[in-house]
Amino acid sequence: MSTPSDDQVESFDSDTELAAAKARWSELAERINEAREVYHGTARELMADAQYDELFHELKGLEERFPELRSPDSPTVQVGAPVASDFERVRHPERMLSLDDVFSLEEVEAWYARMERALGKQPEVVCEVKIDGLAVDLIYDDGVLTRAATRGDGREGENVTANVRTIAGLPHELPAPFPRRVEIRGEVYFPSDKFAELIAAQQEAGEKVYVNARNAAAGSLRQKNAKDTAKRPLAFLAHGLGVWEESKDAPLPTTQSDFIDTLKRWEVPTSDAARRATNFDEIREMIAYHGEHRHDLAHEIDGIVIKVDSLAAQRELGVTSRTPRWATAYKYPPEEVTTRLLDIRVNVGRTGRVTPFGVMDPVFVAGSTVSLATLHNQDEVKRKGVLIGDLIVLRKAGDVIPEIVAPVVDVRDGSEREFVMPKDCPSCGTALRPAKEGDVDLRCPNRKDCPAQVTGRVEHVGTRGALDIEGLGEEAAIALTQPEAQRDEVLAALASGDVIEDEHRNQLRIDLPADADEAARLKAAQELMPEPSAPALANEGGLFALTQDDLLDVFVWRREPPSPPIIGDLPGSADEVTAAIEAAGDAPNVTAEKIWCRRPYFSKSRSTVQWRSRQGTKRAFRVCQEVAPNAVATELLGGLEAAKTKDLWRIIVSLSIRHVGPTAARALASHFRSLDAIRDASVDQMAEVEGVGAIIAQSVADWFEVDWHRDIIEAWRAAGVQLVEEASADAPEQVLEGLTIVVTGSLEGFSRDEAKAAILDRGGKAAGSVSKKTDLVVVGENAGSKETKARDLGIRIIDEDAFVALLAQGMDALD
């Protein structure tokens, strides 16, 4: 993995460089944010870990050269993922940060040299294996485990206390002595050997399988019922310290090593692989050893974390907006294997991007079995020179889906063929084209009606970062928008002579001789196929108007064992049922063989199944009673109803406006208070909102220019969706309306975000930089250049006490 070349960042012509940088920033931010959704389990497009790192570093390079491109929703300043609402939302006592990744020993050595210069001496460090698990924060009050939370966005996470309590080996009480409060950070993971057993069981049951052990850990910990979590063999390893409130007998440890020793005394699980290092050679030895033995541990790892050992030195070195300066993470190079590339297909995503991906012979690599790999775009396929049928080198490093590196050219036998990028969208048939001149990616411009894009947007509405609607996942979105998504496969199976089953349990098979030609078989199959089902949704506009009757009419194709035949509409007496069975004659043998069946997705038939034996053969007859909504339908309708009154910022995220994530959506909702006000605002007015900026503002304005986008809003409004930010009964008075305030330095009673939120809640603008438009600058400890600039411009400066008074009374408090 390498950082972007000078050409990538420096190639913009002087007259157009900012415009070109903005365009590239938009493309990079969109692709990275979509990849982050994949990592957190909410999207369908796929990206390899190495490709993600490359794009992320290019984005950082652009923002370093063009600081005006930075926004609060940029991937370079985000940590984790939006908090799900299935669990109570809780605030971490101290922010949970991410780590800066490095990919070479030279970069590790450069980091170590920076630590030495900053501290004025050669630092002692602790080297720990980088566990590929789910970050969790534990709080013990007076020695008792009182709360456990996921990392979430770093500031707020999900309260998963009941589920964490089920993890074996994690103490619920600490032996004395212990501090008044301690915040222990670590990783919940799924043991590698148990993960293989889980996958086998899921495959045997025909369930959707987890893509890797990390996702299995996350999914297991987020079970609604803690009893379900207890059934999974989750484990926990502690590695970090947040808050430590000293007690008389439990002073704050002085080093990371001392803290780990304390954890061991408390019998909190820690990794035996951690080592102290007093020089760079020892760090290099640790990296080399675990590079060779990375699969010897009980859990997956993807690197080594190096931390300055002294906690006092950690505080002195401080943190950036998203990472600690006193730690870094060396990531191991991806692992490589060879397998056969069976096909190259394309996926159409929510934004219309058409992405090629490889379909391969399944192969085990880096802890999981994979059969799909990203190819990014048509230029990447050509650059790598891969052909369908090639033996390929596959690279993976703990990511969701691996990357095809190159073909093994020497073993080609001439049967391989080139991939041809489709000219038309495989989902809707619209001609593909770049979004703008010079783009490498092709997109389907049919944003409104392309089934794949509609499905992606409907699914997005239900994601955790948007409206978080239970029951509205990928499969439900497909059922609502593309119920015939499998029709071509069903038609091919029928034409080949297979039996299929329609929604009435009628078994269908073409009646042609075995030697009939392919065209005749296909024609017969087409004539026999049931009429296609119309989708319940044309787009996301109709989502909140769905009724129970709409859902009962949704049928999809699935591979299942065929149903026993229906022999009656309503059950009668025992004698009547027996007579009906006798009148039905012989029924097909009960079989577990799966065929294509058309099934209701949101309903179930209440029925009784009658069995009889004839000549030792068990046979079944199904007596139908009535059709009723199933649990998925009930869950979805309830989730849609609850979503109508959720926060305005979630509505904004749900609209799939390019570049608008939770941070920008919150800022817009807080400032404008209604969707109508946002629609009517100018680009400049939106850009002035702290947390928005010019790129996001233009994207929002462009979105509202499209008529069918506005139709979606009106449809949601008509269905009862709340499009305003409701003022709570205890909302503070707008005493700061019209004031622009900058906070600089550290305040005792507020974090930086809490200070900004307090200003915004009272109608003020919380600016990030000092200018002539600034009205006040709040100065805390260690204030820097902003205070100096404020004094140079003659802007009024106040301390924290005055700021508290200002929040209560407005400018009257300062007179």
Side-chain angles (χ1 to χ4, degrees), residues 404-638:
I404 293 172
V405 179
V408 184
V409 177
D410 293 344
V411 299
R412 284 177 175 165
D413 60 11
S415 64
E416 300 81 11
R417 67 186 191 278
E418 287 189 13
F419 165 70
V420 179
M421 187 74 176
K423 295 181 180 179
D424 299 327
C425 174
S427 182
C428 68
T430 303
L432 302 177
R433 63 170 186 255
K436 54 185 178 296
E437 187 176 352
D439 273 5
V440 173
D441 292 326
L442 292 180
R443 294 177 184 264
C444 172
N446 183 19
R447 292 275 295 154
K448 179 183 179 183
D449 299 315
C450 175
Q453 295 184 64
V454 171
T455 299
R457 293 199 304 272
V458 169
E459 180 189 352
H460 174 70
V461 173
T463 57
R464 290 174 176 165
L467 282 170
D468 192 23
I469 299 172
E470 198 67 35
L472 186 57
E474 178 183 345
E475 291 185 4
I478 292 173
L480 289 168
T481 59
Q482 298 186 77
E484 296 289 334
Q486 306 292 338
R487 190 176 183 86
D488 287 347
E489 291 182 60
V490 178
L491 179 61
L494 185 59
S496 70
D498 290 353
V499 174
I500 70 169
E501 189 173 288
D502 68 14
E503 65 270 32
H504 305 297
R505 272 68 177 187
N506 296 316
Q507 293 189 1
L508 310 176
R509 173 181 278 165
I510 59 172
D511 185 18
L512 284 177
D515 59 353
D517 64 33
E518 186 176 343
R521 301 182 72 83
L522 182 59
K523 181 180 179 182
Q526 289 171 332
E527 292 174 351
L528 195 59
M529 281 286 288
E531 288 294 316
S533 297
L537 290 177
N539 60 35
E540 61 269 43
L543 191 56
F544 292 96
L546 286 172
T547 65
Q548 178 175 295
D549 287 343
D550 294 329
L551 298 184
L552 295 182
D553 289 335
V554 174
F555 291 84
V556 298
W557 290 100
R558 290 174 172 165
R559 288 190 62 83
E560 293 183 357
S563 299
I566 297 175
I567 62 170
D569 293 329
L570 293 171
S573 66
D575 289 341
E576 289 171 331
V577 171
T578 300
I581 292 173
E582 292 298 331
D586 282 340
N589 286 341
V590 178
T591 176
E593 182 182 354
K594 293 183 179 181
I595 64 172
W596 281 108
C597 302
R598 194 181 233 175
R599 294 287 187 258
Y601 186 85
F602 294 104
S603 63
K604 60 183 178 181
S605 296
R606 293 177 179 164
S607 60
T608 58
V609 176
Q610 305 290 334
W611 300 87
R612 68 171 175 174
S613 294
R614 176 174 293 182
Q615 296 176 349
T617 302
K618 181 176 275 190
R619 303 176 185 276
F621 298 86
R622 187 170 179 274
V623 183
C624 183
Q625 297 181 42
E626 62 184 71
V627 174
N630 61 17
V632 177
T634 302
E635 189 175 60
L636 175 59
L637 291 173

Side-chain angles (χ1 to χ4, degrees), residues 722-788:
Q722 179 178 287
L723 303 179
V724 298
E725 186 80 350
E726 292 287 349
S728 61
D730 57 352
E733 293 184 30
Q734 302 296 286
V735 294
L736 303 184
E737 191 167 0
L739 296 177
T740 298
I741 303 171
V742 173
V743 178
T744 182
S746 300
L747 303 180
E748 289 187 8
F750 303 83
S751 68
R752 185 67 59 85
D753 282 352
E754 287 169 343
K756 288 183 178 181
I759 295 167
L760 293 172
D761 287 346
R762 290 158 178 80
K765 176 182 177 182
S769 59
V770 177
S771 70
K772 293 179 180 180
K773 296 181 180 180
T774 304
D775 296 297
L776 293 166
V777 175
V778 182
V779 173
E781 291 186 12
N782 301 317
S785 60
K786 292 178 184 177
E787 179 182 9
T788 302

Side-chain angles (χ1 to χ4, degrees), residues 1-5 8-9 12 21-33 36 51-67 69-71 73-78 322 659 695:
M1 174 60 228
S2 61
T3 55
S5 66
Q8 286 177 295
V9 179
F12 302 110
K22 285 182 178 179
R24 181 60 176 161
W25 186 95
S26 295
E27 181 181 359
L28 291 169
E30 181 178 341
R31 295 182 68 180
I32 291 169
N33 281 327
R36 289 176 71 230
Q51 175 75 355
Y52 177 93
D53 292 331
E54 185 175 347
L55 297 180
F56 188 88
H57 279 274
E58 184 181 348
L59 188 68
K60 284 180 66 176
L62 276 178
E63 291 183 350
E64 287 170 3
R65 185 177 178 196
F66 301 97
L69 296 181
R70 288 194 181 98
S71 79
D73 267 330
S74 171
T76 61
V77 297
Q78 295 296 307
R322 64 184 297 274
H659 303 318
I695 292 176

Side-chain angles (χ1 to χ4, degrees), residues 82-310:
V83 177
S85 63
D86 286 350
F87 297 89
E88 176 193 8
R89 189 163 140 175
V90 293
R91 191 173 184 85
H92 300 302
E94 192 170 286
R95 189 181 180 196
M96 296 181 72
L97 300 173
S98 185
L99 288 172
D100 263 335
D101 295 332
V102 296
F103 304 90
S104 69
L105 289 174
E106 289 76 17
E107 290 175 291
V108 177
E109 189 171 19
W111 172 84
Y112 190 75
R114 287 198 302 273
M115 298 302 99
E116 187 172 3
R117 289 194 299 271
L119 297 173
K121 61 180 180 179
Q122 186 168 281
E124 294 185 351
V125 299
V126 174
C127 299
E128 304 169 344
V129 291
K130 190 172 183 291
I131 304 163
D132 194 13
L134 181 72
V136 169
D137 183 55
L138 310 178
I139 295 177
Y140 287 83
D141 288 308
D142 294 323
V144 177
L145 177 61
T146 57
R147 200 184 78 188
T150 63
R151 180 171 66 175
D153 63 5
R155 298 188 184 281
E156 293 181 333
E158 302 152 298
N159 188 337
V160 289
T161 308
N163 295 22
V164 165
R165 286 179 181 273
T166 69
I167 297 176
L170 188 64
H172 296 181
E173 295 186 15
L174 304 177
F178 42 72
R180 286 189 292 269
R181 165 172 278 203
V182 61
E183 184 185 6
I184 300 171
R185 289 159 177 188
E187 300 284 327
V188 170
Y189 68 90
F190 209 106
S192 300
D193 57 344
K194 301 298 183 183
F195 176 65
E197 294 175 9
L198 173 66
I199 294 302
Q202 289 179 320
Q203 290 172 335
E204 177 68 23
E207 299 174 353
K208 188 174 182 178
V209 301
Y210 288 114
V211 294
N212 57 29
R214 184 201 173 277
N215 282 10
S220 300
L221 191 64
R222 289 190 174 108
Q223 296 293 314
K224 288 183 177 180
N225 191 330
K227 292 181 179 179
D228 293 328
T229 298
K231 297 175 184 176
R232 299 283 174 82
L234 296 179
F236 174 84
L237 289 177
H239 56 61
L241 171 64
V243 168
W244 180 294
E245 294 183 9
E246 292 182 314
S247 62
K248 180 180 179 182
D249 297 324
L252 176 68
T254 59
T255 65
Q256 171 76 6
S257 301
D258 290 341
F259 173 61
I260 296 300
D261 288 342
T262 301
L263 291 176
K264 290 178 178 178
R265 180 176 63 79
W266 286 338
E267 298 186 351
V268 176
T270 59
S271 174
D272 292 333
R275 295 287 184 272
R276 290 179 72 250
T278 58
N279 55 59
F280 179 70
D281 287 340
E282 292 176 358
I283 296 174
R284 185 182 3 238
E285 290 172 7
M286 173 81 167
I287 291 173
Y289 177 81
H290 283 289
E292 295 177 4
H293 298 86
R294 58 192 294 186
H295 298 302
D296 294 351
L297 300 171
H299 49 77
E300 293 297 320
I301 67 170
D302 60 0
I304 298 294
V305 176
I306 305 112
K307 302 174 181 177
V308 171
D309 195 24
S310 166

